Amino acid sequence: MTRYLINFSYDGSNYNGYQKQKGLNTIQGKIEDALKYINNKDTKFSASGRTDAFVHANNQFGHVDIDVNITENKLKRALNSLLPDDIYVKSAKKVNDDFHCRYMVKEKQYIYIINMGEFNPIERKYVYQFCNKLNLYKMKKALKYIKGTHDFEKFSSNEHKEKNTVRSIYTAKIKKRKNYLIFSFSGNGFLKYMVRIIVGVLIQIGSNKMNPSDIKQIFSGDYKFKYKKIAPPEGLYLNNVKYKKI
Amino acid sequence: MTRYLINFSYDGSNYNGYQKQKGLNTIQGKIEDALKYINNKDTKFSASGRTDAFVHANNQFGHVDIDVNITENKLKRALNSLLPDDIYVKSAKKVNDDFHCRYMVKEKQYIYIINMGEFNPIERKYVYQFCNKLNLYKMKKALKYIKGTHDFEKFSSNEHKEKNTVRSIYTAKIKKRKNYLIFSFSGNGFLKYMVRIIVGVLIQIGSNKMNPSDIKQIFSGDYKFKYKKIAPPEGLYLNNVKYKKI
């Protein structure tokens, strides 16, 4: 048995998210179908974390234990020949048996892209077509309240009832390129919907419907955050994952 | 009856090209379906020219004659509410009855995008995933032979048996952005497959399989151009159309 670390990318447009669910089209499902063929038996594939339906990944990571004798490059090629063309394996790398692609994550990086200009049908599945101006100055001011270590429970779905909802955001940036805003976030971990809710709140702030300092009130529970403004999935990309050791 | 000039964009991924064909999914078909509903009768829509299956348009233009009384902005909104989300009307503008969106074209602009880097599943329908290095110096040298007025018959499909295959290319450029090449061409008109065959030949030159000066031989008929190397449709965009007068 050899454990392999798999670096892969995907277009999430056609999937009900990363995680395998009976009867649904999922990234994990497609990868496990391919691995079953290569490993000659049902084979579990673990990823660094889930992504929601329609969310993309530039660099997702996962690990798998393979019993058959296969080189790193042959495993990469075998997977790519079996996978649909919206999932691509960039590399397969032998790792120690005690490596775990989820427990050993040091940092995750996400990006979120917004088009403030005219609706563009060509990128409708890859960029949030907000099509309105946003106040960049106010949003950048708000990033200061997002950065650092906080209990992000209010910035997440309670769906999984995570016990520990404290996370550290290392970097939070917004770049402007013509009519596009590219948000980037890095941190030690992200809760379900966390990036999309943060972006949703930033959009509220950029639209002058909230103030940057309201974020403090959200954390403290003083802000009447009646419904969670969640930015749509198509603008979100899992951009990279860094590990403690490989 | 009022004639309107329509500026629109589309993601060609899901279409068998611009031109209406019985039983096939086409851009023209979708637009005429919407116009029939607005104009209360079968309504012909004319575009500046066709685009092939899977080819995109950032700015395509067409005209239509409407009998019902409707403002420019309402026509735009009515079309967008009826069209699928991969076709978008940017504007509708009243024009003189003698305006013709095809006969009065002064200049057309195309772009073609190639990824020389690693395969990217997210852009597989929008950028040609060539995934190999190309010699930019040689390709730029070759552009000099493409520019100007030539008989481009050898750089086209003979499918439509056009009598006049002489066209003028005003500009031909290649920009490099990281691992991407963005080709742009402008001219007074383009034959069927012309941009894709030019790009296909440029790729041959950039791959050191042909020399820049071989283009002269193709024009003169001396180069044994046995099969036309045609670049795939997904990298091609009709970028803009300029008119003599509007």
Side-chain angles (χ1 to χ4, degrees):
Chain A
M1 188 280 279
T2 306
R3 184 160 289 186
Y4 291 85
L5 172 67
I6 308 291
N7 175 204
F8 60 113
S9 55
Y10 49 83
D11 173 351
S13 309
N14 297 318
Y15 294 94
N16 290 89
Y18 169 78
Q19 199 184 26
K20 204 170 176 175
Q21 296 168 80
K22 234 181 182 170
L24 291 181
N25 199 30
T26 65
I27 311 285
Q28 188 185 13
K30 291 291 181 198
I31 294 175
E32 291 189 354
D33 286 350
L35 286 168
K36 183 177 181 175
Y37 192 88
I38 294 165
N39 203 27
N40 299 318
K41 64 176 187 187
D42 285 333
T43 302
K44 180 159 168 59
F45 184 73
S46 303
S48 73
R50 299 159 186 160
T51 54
D52 302 327
F54 317 127
V55 170
H56 315 292
N58 292 324
N59 287 287
Q60 168 68 287
F61 288 84
H63 74 251
V64 61
D65 295 330
I66 301 279
D67 293 315
V68 297
N69 197 13
I70 189 165
T71 66
E72 293 172 338
N73 202 34
K74 275 198 179 159
L75 178 57
K76 170 186 166 170
R77 283 185 303 184
L79 281 166
N80 283 327
S81 72
L82 293 164
L83 285 166
D85 65 356
D86 48 9
I87 305 174
Y88 180 73
V89 171
K90 295 175 153 194
S91 69
K93 197 174 171 305
K94 288 179 185 173
V95 285
N96 288 336
D97 295 358
D98 61 355
F99 174 83
H100 196 288
C101 69
R102 190 166 151 223
Y103 304 143
M104 284 158 93
V105 167
K106 193 175 80 180
E107 184 183 317
K108 279 189 160 186
Q109 300 170 356
Y110 282 93
I111 61 172
Y112 193 98
I113 314 176
I114 291 182
N115 176 19
M116 298 188 294
E118 195 171 35
F119 180 84
N120 185 339
I122 297 162
E123 59 190 26
R124 71 198 183 287
K125 293 180 186 170
Y126 306 97
V127 173
Y128 173 29
Q129 301 296 308
F130 183 68
C131 305
N132 280 293
K133 287 273 166 264
L134 287 164
N135 186 323
L136 187 58
Y137 174 76
K138 279 195 180 177
M139 287 193 293
K140 281 192 171 175
K141 229 174 141 180
L143 293 180
K144 290 175 197 163
Y145 300 102
I146 296 289
K147 268 183 269 188
T149 302
H150 307 278
D151 182 345
F152 281 95
E153 193 266 331
K154 298 281 194 309
F155 286 91
S156 80
S157 136
N158 285 321
E159 221 173 276
H160 298 305
K161 304 220 189 324
E162 296 238 17
K163 278 170 211 155
N164 179 7
T165 50
V166 174
R167 295 291 184 276
S168 295
I169 301 280
Y170 305 138
T171 60
K173 290 178 190 166
I174 311 176
K175 274 192 298 187
K176 187 173 183 290
R177 293 280 178 275
K178 293 181 183 172
N179 278 321
Y180 294 84
L181 293 181
I182 300 128
F183 298 73
S184 57
F185 302 95
S186 73
N188 63 352
F190 292 84
L191 302 165
K192 188 165 170 68
Y193 294 150
M194 184 168 141
V195 179
R196 290 167 56 193
I197 293 173
I198 291 173
V199 172
V201 168
L202 290 171
I203 289 172
Q204 293 286 98
I205 291 166
S207 307
N208 301 311
K209 289 172 187 166
M210 279 174 71
N211 294 313
S213 62
D214 290 341
I215 288 178
K216 279 197 293 186
Q217 265 73 50
I218 296 175
F219 281 126
S220 70
D222 289 344
Y223 189 89
K224 285 189 200 337
F225 200 47
K226 278 176 190 162
Y227 60 107
K228 284 166 183 157
K229 277 278 176 193
I230 180 162
E234 65 269 19
L236 184 61
Y237 295 71
L238 173 58
N239 200 43
N240 213 351
V241 183
K242 289 184 180 175
Y243 285 98
K244 279 162 190 158
K245 57 160 191 174
I246 294 179
Chain B
M1 187 281 278
T2 306
R3 183 160 290 184
Y4 292 84
L5 172 68
I6 309 291
N7 175 204
F8 59 113
S9 55
Y10 48 84
D11 173 350
S13 309
N14 297 318
Y15 294 95
N16 291 88
Y18 169 77
Q19 199 184 25
K20 204 170 175 174
Q21 298 167 79
K22 234 181 182 169
L24 293 180
N25 199 30
T26 65
I27 311 286
Q28 187 184 14
K30 291 290 180 199
I31 295 175
E32 292 190 354
D33 286 350
L35 287 168
K36 184 178 180 174
Y37 192 88
I38 294 165
N39 203 27
N40 299 317
K41 65 176 187 186
D42 285 333
T43 302
K44 180 161 168 57
F45 184 73
S46 303
S48 73
R50 300 160 186 158
T51 53
D52 303 325
F54 317 127
V55 170
H56 316 292
N58 291 324
N59 287 286
Q60 169 67 289
F61 289 83
H63 74 251
V64 62
D65 294 330
I66 301 279
D67 293 314
V68 297
N69 197 14
I70 188 165
T71 65
E72 292 172 339
N73 202 34
K74 276 197 178 159
L75 179 56
K76 170 186 165 169
R77 285 185 301 185
L79 281 167
N80 282 328
S81 71
L82 294 164
L83 286 166
D85 65 357
D86 49 9
I87 304 174
Y88 180 73
V89 171
K90 295 176 153 193
S91 70
K93 197 175 172 303
K94 288 179 186 175
V95 286
N96 288 336
D97 296 356
D98 60 357
F99 174 83
H100 196 287
C101 69
R102 189 166 152 224
Y103 303 144
M104 283 157 93
V105 168
K106 192 174 79 179
E107 184 182 316
K108 279 190 159 184
Q109 299 170 356
Y110 282 93
I111 61 172
Y112 193 98
I113 314 176
I114 291 181
N115 175 18
M116 298 187 294
E118 196 171 35
F119 180 85
N120 185 338
I122 297 163
E123 59 189 27
R124 72 198 183 286
K125 293 180 186 171
Y126 306 97
V127 172
Y128 174 29
Q129 301 296 307
F130 183 67
C131 306
N132 280 294
K133 286 273 165 264
L134 288 164
N135 185 324
L136 188 57
Y137 174 76
K138 279 194 179 176
M139 287 192 294
K140 281 192 171 173
K141 229 174 141 181
L143 293 179
K144 290 175 195 161
Y145 300 104
I146 295 288
K147 268 185 267 186
T149 303
H150 307 278
D151 182 345
F152 281 95
E153 193 266 330
K154 299 281 194 310
F155 285 90
S156 79
S157 136
N158 284 320
E159 222 175 275
H160 298 305
K161 305 221 190 327
E162 296 237 18
K163 277 171 213 156
N164 179 7
T165 50
V166 174
R167 294 292 185 277
S168 295
I169 302 281
Y170 305 139
T171 60
K173 289 177 190 166
I174 311 174
K175 275 193 296 188
K176 189 173 180 293
R177 294 280 177 275
K178 292 181 184 172
N179 278 321
Y180 294 85
L181 294 180
I182 300 130
F183 298 73
S184 57
F185 301 95
S186 73
N188 63 353
F190 292 84
L191 303 165
K192 186 164 172 68
Y193 294 149
M194 185 169 140
V195 179
R196 290 168 57 195
I197 292 173
I198 290 173
V199 172
V201 168
L202 290 171
I203 289 171
Q204 293 286 97
I205 291 166
S207 307
N208 301 311
K209 289 172 188 166
M210 279 174 70
N211 294 313
S213 62
D214 290 341
I215 288 178
K216 278 197 293 184
Q217 264 73 51
I218 296 174
F219 281 127
S220 70
D222 289 343
Y223 189 89
K224 285 189 203 332
F225 201 46
K226 279 177 191 162
Y227 60 106
K228 284 165 183 159
K229 277 277 174 192
I230 181 162
E234 64 269 18
L236 184 60
Y237 295 72
L238 173 58
N239 200 43
N240 212 352
V241 183
K242 290 185 178 172
Y243 285 98
K244 279 162 190 157
K245 56 161 192 175
I246 294 180

